[in-house]
Amino acid sequence: MPLLDQLLQLSALTLVLLIGAAFLAGWVDAVVGGGGLIQLPALLTALPADAPTGAVLGTNKIASAAGTAIASWTYVRRITPIAATAAPLVVCALGGSAVGAGLASFIPRDWLSPIVLLALLAVGACTLLRPTMGLVHAPRHSGRAQVVRAGGIGGVVGIYDGVLGPGTGSFFIIAMVAVLGYGFLEASVHAKLANLTTNLGALLVFGAQGEVWWLLGGLMAIANVLGGFLGARLAIRLGSGFVRWVFLAVTGALGVRLAIDSVTLFT
């Protein structure tokens, strides 16, 4: 289908709302991750019912990759990533994302909200029940143990990102905080690099399948970039405590939204 014909299937109001959702998703994703939990439900609602899963997920990846790229650049300019964590995290995340994207076409669209809801509830509960977790940067591992654990986080979360995607940044952050002992802010730096890699890996697969709405994704990408730039600067200025509270607020709000979607689906 021609690119302009895809866009003409949407009303002007729907397009404006999608661009607004992309901006907000970029801001949230830069601060704490999980912007896809705003952007993906918006696309699920807005795109035609006969749009394949790959079209929804692939279009989401265009905007997500652009926003994550600018957020990564903003973070790295101010906080230097740790090579022994970043390298295995990124490499394994790329491989996992490509594998997951190849499996995504086997998952019905109706399953997305319930699956993401369960993952989100687990992450939110873990953060809420451990109030001091992530407020202090105190790495627990070094050498081979650090490399292996970082690679494991990258591979597992990368597969999830390729298959579904929303909440990937949050899952990277919480895994590094819980497993590696990183502070929320330091974890965010590495999470952005890994998330950028998984977005690009999955986008390559979806693009090869020819299902991406490139023009819509490009418009949403511009909005996501602006939100990502502003969100990253604010997170760096206010630190891990701010990131943690935004994390909990976003997790709670989106959990309610996904719960409503899931109940509606099964009633």
Side-chain angles (χ1 to χ4, degrees):
M1 180 185 297
L3 299 182
L4 188 57
D5 288 350
Q6 291 178 339
L7 207 59
L8 290 175
Q9 294 185 59
L10 307 175
S11 68
L13 177 59
T14 297
L15 184 59
V16 169
L17 291 175
L18 282 174
I19 291 173
F23 173 84
L24 181 59
W27 188 93
V28 169
D29 204 46
V31 174
V32 74
L37 287 165
I38 297 171
Q39 196 166 261
L40 184 60
L43 283 166
L44 284 168
T45 302
L47 293 190
D50 60 352
T53 300
V56 178
L57 298 179
T59 304
N60 179 58
K61 290 300 179 189
I62 299 175
S64 297
T68 304
I70 194 67
S72 299
W73 175 76
T74 304
Y75 273 113
V76 170
R77 287 178 61 206
R78 291 166 173 80
I79 302 172
T80 303
I82 300 171
T85 296
L89 184 73
V90 166
V91 170
C92 293
L94 176 61
S97 177
V99 171
L103 299 173
S105 60
F106 298 101
I107 299 179
R109 279 181 60 176
D110 291 345
W111 291 16
L112 295 181
S113 290
I115 292 174
V116 175
L117 175 60
L118 292 175
L120 187 67
L121 288 175
V123 169
C126 180
T127 306
L128 187 62
L129 294 174
R130 300 177 63 185
T132 61
M133 184 176 67
L135 297 183
V136 177
H137 182 58
R140 299 193 187 102
H141 306 284
S142 61
R144 182 177 179 181
Q146 179 181 2
V147 171
V148 170
R149 285 167 174 77
I153 292 170
V156 172
V157 181
I159 290 173
Y160 168 81
D161 189 50
V163 173
L164 294 173
T168 296
S170 298
F171 297 144
F172 272 126
I173 290 172
I174 200 66
M176 283 185 284
V177 169
V179 176
L180 301 180
Y182 280 26
F184 271 105
L185 184 59
E186 290 77 12
S188 293
V189 179
H190 296 82
K192 292 297 163 289
L193 294 173
N195 205 176
L196 174 60
T197 305
T198 60
N199 282 334
L200 292 175
L203 182 57
L204 287 173
V205 175
F206 290 130
Q209 293 172 349
E211 297 179 329
V212 179
W213 287 36
W214 292 101
L215 186 54
L216 174 60
L219 293 174
M220 294 178 69
I222 295 172
N224 198 291
V225 163
L226 181 57
F229 176 73
L230 296 175
R233 290 177 65 88
L234 188 62
I236 291 169
R237 187 187 316 154
L238 297 181
S240 290
F242 169 73
V243 174
R244 180 181 185 275
W245 281 111
V246 173
F247 180 91
L248 288 171
V250 170
T251 299
L254 294 174
V256 170
R257 166 61 191 273
L258 289 169
I260 292 172
D261 290 346
S262 299
V263 170
T264 302
L265 174 65
F266 292 107
T267 56

